[in-house]
């Protein structure tokens, strides 16, 4: 099969990195031989509608690692057919939020120069998730690192994920029931994590007569969160309520709220202020997922959060070590003035 450079317009990976990886793969697979001429800079910039700088940057990086050489006025040639095999990672996120950026940055930093990452986002859309998997499952990736969260659909996601070779699969953030075989996973134990965190906050929560968790029907959060919440409330005899829409929920004193989504937190704070109630005294707020803003908002929002940096680091270590284990990610309670 003749060699062709591949660029995926939908990938979040820079195009120059895609060119580098495409050429390295071509050498590894024997499609490019030593002293063979590479496509010219002009040809690639026309073919892919990219800048000259993008192509030159890719070729110069290949020169820097001793794989390519150039001859003045003649172009670029394969210098060596010996390529140190790096991990090639298909990384699929449901969205790019502040939390996902922490995961990605820790993942990429831990891998360093020992891996190439093709990064895709499916915006919580199961149909797009399915397209990415079917389009890429048979490509030459060494690892598939996947987060599976959907606004709707996804009932058959286990069948889709089971198409991926298990020695290449790493499930990130959430376990998927029905995935079989020996694969790797770094996950949140949603029910246990929430129940344990609320137990740590028991003394503070006991000053409120009712606990409410904001759990919108349109969200993608695992139902195991509700299981952990209800287990805690039953264990310690709390009156509780599951709130689907905080915008229309009456705000009353002596109630504490657990929110999952950032937009709901903003709405909740606005409505508490409008009701003339004081956060941390008359109304409690406990928010999912740590962000720098929550450290200072209202003199500090109490959070329950997984360690997103650790999530990314552990996944990267699994890539580098070709691990197959399942690891529960650390979860923590950070008490601030809102409770």
């Amino acid at each position: 099969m003749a060699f062709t450079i591949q660029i995926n317009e939908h990938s979040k990976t820079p195009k120059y990195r895609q060119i580098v990886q495409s050429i390295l793969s071509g050498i590894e697979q024997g499609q490019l031989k030593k002293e063979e001429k590479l496509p010219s800079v002009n040809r690639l910039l026309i073919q892919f509608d990219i800048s000259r700088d993008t192509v030159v940057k890719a070729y110069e990086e290949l020169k820097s690692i001793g794989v390519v050489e150039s001859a003045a006025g003649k172009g670029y040639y394969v210098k060596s057919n010996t390529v140190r095999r790096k991990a090639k990672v298909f990384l699929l996120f449901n969205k790019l939020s502040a939390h996902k950026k922490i995961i990605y940055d820790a993942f990429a930093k831990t891998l360093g120069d020992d891996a190439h990452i093709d990064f895709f986002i499916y915006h919580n859309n199961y149909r797009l998730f399915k397209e990415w998997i079917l389009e890429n499952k048979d490509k030459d990736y060494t690892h598939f690192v996947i987060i599976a969260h959907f606004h709707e659909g996804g009932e058959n996601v286990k069948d889709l994920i089971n198409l991926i070779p298990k020695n290449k699969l790493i499930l990130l953030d959430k376990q998927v029931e029905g995935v079989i075989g020996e694969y790797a996973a770094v996950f949140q134990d949603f029910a246990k994590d929430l129940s344990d965190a609320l137990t740590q906050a028991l003394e503070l929560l006991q000053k409120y007569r009712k606990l409410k968790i904001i759990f919108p029907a349109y969200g993608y959060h695992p139902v195991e969160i509700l299981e952990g919440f209800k287990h805690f409330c039953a264990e310690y005899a709390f009156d509780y309520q599951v709130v689907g829409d905080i915008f229309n929920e009456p705000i009353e004193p002596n109630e504490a709220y657990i929110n999952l989504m950032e937009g709901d937190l903003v709405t909740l704070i606005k409505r508490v202020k409008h009701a003339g109630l004081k956060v941390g005294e008359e109304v409690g707020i406990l928010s999912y997922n740590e962000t720098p803003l929550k450290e200072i908002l209202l003199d500090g929002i109490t959070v329950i959060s997984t360690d997103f940096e650790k999530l990314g680091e552990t996944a990267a270590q699994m890539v580098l070590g070709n691990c197959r284990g399942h690891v529960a990610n650390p979860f923590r309670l950070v008490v601030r003035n809102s409770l």
Side-chain angles (χ1 to χ4, degrees):
M1 183 173 65
F3 170 75
T4 57
I5 287 176
Q6 303 290 328
I7 292 182
N8 189 323
E9 293 291 338
H10 300 290
S11 174
K12 302 299 181 183
T13 302
K15 289 183 173 61
Y16 86 92
R17 292 294 307 158
Q18 294 190 52
I19 294 172
V20 169
Q21 187 61 35
S22 187
I23 290 172
L24 291 176
S25 295
I27 294 172
E28 288 178 332
Q29 296 168 15
Q31 297 172 347
L32 284 172
K33 307 296 185 183
K34 187 175 181 179
E35 298 183 358
E36 186 171 346
K37 186 176 182 180
L38 296 174
S40 71
V41 173
N42 287 338
R43 174 182 162 186
L44 291 182
L45 65 88
I46 294 172
Q47 180 180 353
F48 295 109
D49 191 24
I50 53 181
S51 71
R52 178 178 298 274
D53 287 346
T54 296
V55 183
V56 171
K57 185 175 182 179
Y59 280 174
E60 289 301 312
E61 180 167 319
L62 289 165
K63 281 181 64 177
S64 71
I65 61 177
V67 173
V68 164
E69 62 183 349
S70 61
K74 294 184 179 181
Y76 293 85
Y77 296 81
V78 177
K79 179 179 180 181
S80 172
N81 57 8
T82 302
V83 177
R84 184 173 70 87
R85 179 63 171 168
K86 290 186 176 183
K88 183 180 179 183
V89 180
F90 173 87
L91 181 63
L92 184 59
F93 278 14
N94 60 315
K95 63 178 183 177
L96 189 55
S97 63
H99 317 117
K100 295 303 190 298
K101 185 178 186 304
I102 294 172
I103 297 172
Y104 176 86
D105 288 347
F107 182 75
K109 181 180 179 181
T110 304
L111 288 177
D113 294 330
D114 291 324
H116 167 83
I117 303 170
D118 281 342
F119 184 33
F120 301 87
I121 300 173
Y122 60 91
H123 306 291
N124 297 109
N125 184 311
Y126 178 67
R127 182 178 297 179
L128 186 54
F129 177 91
K130 182 177 181 178
E131 288 179 6
W132 287 141
I133 296 296
L134 293 179
E135 182 179 320
N136 291 281
K137 66 181 179 62
D138 296 321
K139 292 186 177 178
D140 63 339
Y141 291 106
T142 60
H143 297 84
F144 291 79
V145 182
I146 295 169
I147 295 177
H149 288 302
F150 314 106
H151 280 310
E152 59 182 359
E155 292 82 3
N156 298 318
V157 65
K158 66 181 187 302
D159 299 322
L160 195 59
I161 294 177
N162 277 327
L163 297 175
I164 299 170
K166 297 307 182 298
N167 64 321
K168 297 183 176 184
L169 176 63
I170 301 175
L171 288 182
L172 193 58
D173 195 42
K174 178 188 176 185
Q175 288 279 39
V176 177
E177 187 175 351
V179 176
I180 59 175
E182 294 186 16
Y183 62 93
V186 192
F187 64 95
Q188 297 188 57
D189 190 341
F190 292 98
K192 182 179 184 299
D193 287 344
L194 180 56
S195 182
D196 289 351
L198 294 179
T199 300
Q200 293 177 49
L202 179 61
E203 185 175 346
L204 290 169
L205 292 171
Q206 284 176 330
K207 68 182 182 181
Y208 300 99
R209 64 175 177 81
K210 190 173 187 177
L211 302 186
K212 294 183 176 182
I213 186 168
I214 308 170
F215 201 91
Y218 58 82
Y220 58 84
H221 292 87
V223 295
E224 289 85 357
I225 291 175
L226 283 183
E227 294 173 6
F229 173 70
K230 292 177 180 179
H231 176 269
F232 169 80
C233 291
E235 180 76 16
Y236 295 100
F238 275 96
D239 186 16
Y240 71 88
Q241 180 183 344
V242 178
V243 177
D245 180 10
I246 187 57
F247 187 80
N248 294 308
E249 180 66 19
I251 305 297
E252 298 179 357
N254 300 317
E255 296 181 339
Y257 287 83
I258 300 168
N259 88 279
L260 307 180
M261 302 179 71
E262 304 301 287
D264 286 339
L265 176 61
V266 173
T267 301
L268 174 61
I269 292 173
K270 286 181 177 179
R271 299 207 59 221
V272 170
K273 286 186 173 182
H274 186 265
L277 299 174
K278 187 169 180 60
V279 173
E281 295 181 12
E282 296 168 293
V283 175
I285 297 179
L286 198 163
S287 184
Y288 239 84
N289 296 334
E290 176 72 295
T291 65
L293 181 61
K294 291 175 186 177
E295 295 182 39
I296 59 174
L297 185 63
L298 296 180
D299 293 326
I301 298 292
T302 297
V303 295
I304 45 178
S305 181
T306 198
D307 187 334
F308 292 105
E309 186 172 356
K310 185 67 173 177
L311 200 67
E313 289 176 355
T314 304
Q317 289 162 0
M318 286 181 161
V319 168
L320 296 173
N322 285 312
C323 301
R324 301 283 182 274
H326 291 198
V327 178
N329 201 57
F331 197 83
R332 59 180 175 162
L333 167 73
V334 181
V335 176
R336 300 193 179 109
N337 292 327
S338 69
L339 204 59

